[in-house]
Amino acid sequence: CSVLTANVGQTRSLDLTKLPAAAGIGECVTRGQLPPRRSSWFYDNGAFEDFQAGREFDYLQWSRDMRAIRLWRDEQGIPSWRPRGGQRLNLPDFQVVPDKVGAGWHSLHFSLEHLEEARTAGAPCYLALQDGMSPTYVGTYVDRFDGLFVGGTLEWKLETAATWVKYGRKWGKPVHVGRVGTLDRVEWADTIGATSIDSSLPLW
């Protein structure tokens, strides 16, 4: 039985940074928030925030983030003018490839269009699952990704997450469930066998 890994959002508070780290809780770093403040973290492309704000995906900032993460692992060494004055940082545990919230197969093809550039960062690439996607359709492309990220609307997520975890096991892919903040939902995610979860609710 695998252990459910939890992540909370980023905070500038030193105390609130230390507490999750001491508890083994990772960090969700959203586009534009680099660098991470904890050693264990994953990268969120920020599509959900764009969706909430009614704007197009900020490709320019996302591409800059991909370049910054790539520079941190440069085997030739990191000159002082690079991120954090040349300091090496851990790669994210995984990154969520750009997606479109609630857009089904349109989101899948959007992710496929950005996958090659996402790979340049050097971190495992997760496919964001959205309303309207089905295991049959996703299964055609799943080998191109390293894991699955259950996104979409709350209703769709609660209805389908257990099925995605089942298929994730079949395909040999870890499955992360996004925005799991309440204790009941944490227990639910653990029960269905999700690999990892995230929420900013504990910080609030």
Side-chain angles (χ1 to χ4, degrees):
C1 180
S2 60
V3 177
L4 181 68
T5 302
N7 303 268
V8 295
Q10 191 177 81
T11 173
R12 297 182 184 280
S13 166
L14 185 58
D15 289 339
L16 285 181
T17 296
K18 290 179 178 179
L19 282 173
I25 296 174
E27 180 176 77
C28 171
V29 178
T30 302
R31 184 197 65 221
Q33 293 182 338
L34 294 175
R37 290 170 170 77
R38 277 171 263 154
S39 59
S40 177
W41 63 291
F42 79 90
Y43 178 87
D44 182 357
N45 62 60
F48 182 71
E49 285 75 10
D50 291 334
F51 172 76
Q52 287 186 309
R55 61 184 179 235
E56 291 297 314
F57 177 68
D58 189 346
Y59 167 79
L60 182 58
Q61 182 60 63
W62 173 78
S63 186
R64 286 171 174 165
D65 284 355
M66 293 298 98
R67 180 175 183 272
I69 295 172
R70 183 171 69 250
L71 291 175
W72 292 338
R73 65 181 182 87
D74 190 335
E75 295 179 356
Q76 302 302 317
I78 306 179
S80 61
W81 51 267
R82 291 185 179 175
R84 273 199 168 183
Q87 179 182 346
R88 286 188 181 278
L89 296 174
N90 293 337
L91 284 176
D93 297 331
F94 66 88
Q95 60 165 314
V96 186
V97 179
D99 60 300
K100 289 183 175 293
V101 178
W105 68 270
H106 290 288
S107 179
L108 173 56
H109 286 279
F110 188 73
S111 295
L112 289 169
E113 290 172 357
H114 291 81
L115 181 57
E116 183 176 352
E117 183 172 358
R119 286 269 181 224
T120 66
C125 293
Y126 279 29
L127 170 65
L129 303 168
Q130 298 290 347
D131 299 47
M133 289 187 184
S134 69
T136 300
Y137 193 78
V138 170
T140 304
Y141 305 95
V142 74
D143 285 345
R144 303 187 192 184
F145 297 88
D146 304 298
L148 304 173
F149 182 101
V150 184
T153 61
L154 178 60
E155 295 76 16
W156 184 82
K157 180 185 305 180
L158 294 175
E159 180 181 344
T160 65
T163 298
W164 287 116
V165 169
K166 174 184 174 182
Y167 273 90
R169 288 174 179 163
K170 176 182 176 181
W171 295 326
K173 309 290 181 182
V175 179
H176 179 100
V177 182
R179 289 184 293 143
V180 178
T182 65
L183 182 57
D184 287 346
R185 288 186 187 153
V186 171
E187 293 175 343
W188 161 77
D190 191 35
T191 298
I192 66 174
T195 309
S196 55
I197 57 174
D198 74 86
S199 176
S200 289
L201 187 58
L203 292 178
W204 299 337

